């Protein structure tokens, strides 16, 4: 198995609205992909971003991902490993239409390594919610 280079960083996009979006760094290999979200794959030496959208990603998540990628391009944050003099390029791709370099960055192409939903006919156009029943105690 080929190990992904340290030049690459992989971020899972989280949030419902772009002004509250955040990126969670995850292991840089294909098992970190999710068909229900967008991913930012960043090469710090080439100043290159692959903005990947899973096949079941909701519209609002795609928007949050685009906004986050644009912010990285504009601000070139040092904590992401970028330098203020670099010119960041963004390539957007869909699950099932990734370029070869995308897969090379993740070590190898293996759709069985993650829960790939390319063949799933479901729409998955809902956001999971958790409701917790409050517990009341009486103090005497």
């Amino acid at each position: 198995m080929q190990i992904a280079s340290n030049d690459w960083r992989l971020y899972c996009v989280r949030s419902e609205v772009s002004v509250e979006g955040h990126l969670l760094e995850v292991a840089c290999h294909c098992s970190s992909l999710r068909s229900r979200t967008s991913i930012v794959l960043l090469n710090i030496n080439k100043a290159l971003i692959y903005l990947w959208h899973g096949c079941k990603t909701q519209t609002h998540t795609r928007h949050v991902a685009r906004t986050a990628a644009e912010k990285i391009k504009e601000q070139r944050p040092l904590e992401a490993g970028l330098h203020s003099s670099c010119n960041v390029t963004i390539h957007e791709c869909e699950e099932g239409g990734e370029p070869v370099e995308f897969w090379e960055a993740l070590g190898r192409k293996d759709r069985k390594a993650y829960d790939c939903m390319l063949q799933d006919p479901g729409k998955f156009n809902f956001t999971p919610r958790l409701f917790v029943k409050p517990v009341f105690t009486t103090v005497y």
Side-chain angles (χ1 to χ4, degrees), residues 7-71:
D7 296 344
W8 292 95
R9 295 183 180 184
L10 189 66
Y11 301 93
C12 182
V13 176
R14 301 280 172 100
S15 191
E16 301 289 319
V17 292
S18 56
V19 294
E20 295 177 356
H22 67 275
L23 302 177
L24 174 67
E25 188 167 8
V26 294
C28 193
H29 52 79
C30 57
S31 64
S32 296
L33 299 177
R34 301 288 179 262
S35 289
R36 294 192 61 201
T37 195
S38 294
I39 298 285
V40 172
L41 178 61
L42 169 66
N43 184 300
I44 58 176
N45 287 331
K46 295 179 181 177
L48 172 66
I49 292 175
Y50 283 106
L51 180 54
W52 180 87
H53 302 291
C55 63
K56 305 295 183 183
T57 304
Q58 294 185 35
T59 304
H60 68 271
T61 303
R62 290 170 183 262
H63 182 69
V64 170
R66 285 185 193 107
T67 301
E70 286 296 330
K71 289 293 182 190

Side-chain angles (χ1 to χ4, degrees), residues 111-138:
R111 293 205 194 278
K112 292 181 182 180
Y114 71 100
D115 188 20
C116 177
M117 299 176 141
L118 281 170
Q119 304 302 319
D120 191 326
K123 293 188 188 248
F124 296 93
N125 57 353
F126 57 89
T127 301
R129 291 176 171 78
L130 175 65
F131 297 94
V132 179
K133 180 179 177 183
V135 177
F136 297 99
T137 58
T138 305

